Amino acid sequence: HLSAFVIARETDAEAQEVLQHQWELAERDKATWEGLVADADPKAVMFRTFARNPHIGTNGGTAAGLVGSYDTVAQRILEFRELGIGTLMLQFQPFEAEQRRFAAEVIPRYRELAGEDVST
């Protein structure tokens, strides 16, 4: 299984702009986040991952590299599949709008890369 935060846009540059905006929002919310996790075990895998990799989101952050163009994200997901990762737990912000974008733009590209029948 793999947990990751997704930012997919038409181009890698556009996705990086959105990521930068998310970093700005995260900085504003830093005190709130620290209060939420103050009693959590810092030895938990999530916190060790966050210590090694800057993150947006709470479920693996951006460390998986699912920030980029629709094609970039689809290719990265295919690479995970080829490594044997069959389940992705994805986070989007805002959830519904970004999940729809992912379904409309990334999934068809992934299916084409994976050689799946895209006519259905």
Side-chain angles (χ1 to χ4, degrees):
H1 299 346
L2 177 77
S3 298
F5 189 84
V6 178
I7 299 175
R9 292 295 185 276
E10 192 67 38
T11 67
D12 289 330
E14 289 176 59
Q16 289 301 317
E17 287 176 21
V18 174
L19 177 60
Q20 182 57 40
H21 178 70
Q22 292 290 336
W23 282 123
E24 292 165 8
L25 294 175
E27 187 61 31
R28 287 187 217 162
D29 292 339
K30 188 174 183 177
T32 301
W33 168 256
E34 289 172 352
L36 288 171
V37 299
D39 295 327
D41 182 357
K43 295 177 188 168
V45 172
M46 179 175 80
F47 296 111
R48 291 193 319 241
T49 300
F50 289 168
R52 289 189 312 270
N53 302 290
H55 67 283
I56 298 290
T58 57
N59 75 346
T62 57
L66 297 182
V67 175
S69 71
Y70 304 133
D71 291 329
T72 297
V73 172
Q75 179 63 44
R76 186 79 172 134
I77 292 170
L78 180 63
E79 291 167 3
F80 286 127
R81 177 182 174 192
E82 290 170 348
L83 290 171
I85 297 170
T87 302
L88 301 177
M89 296 175 287
L90 303 177
Q91 183 177 9
F92 305 91
Q93 183 61 34
F95 182 77
E96 188 173 337
E98 292 302 315
Q99 188 178 43
R100 288 181 194 276
R101 178 192 309 266
F102 183 84
E105 300 293 346
V106 177
I107 290 174
R109 286 168 169 83
Y110 166 80
R111 286 181 173 157
E112 187 172 329
L113 287 170
E116 295 181 8
D117 182 5
V118 293
S119 64
T120 57

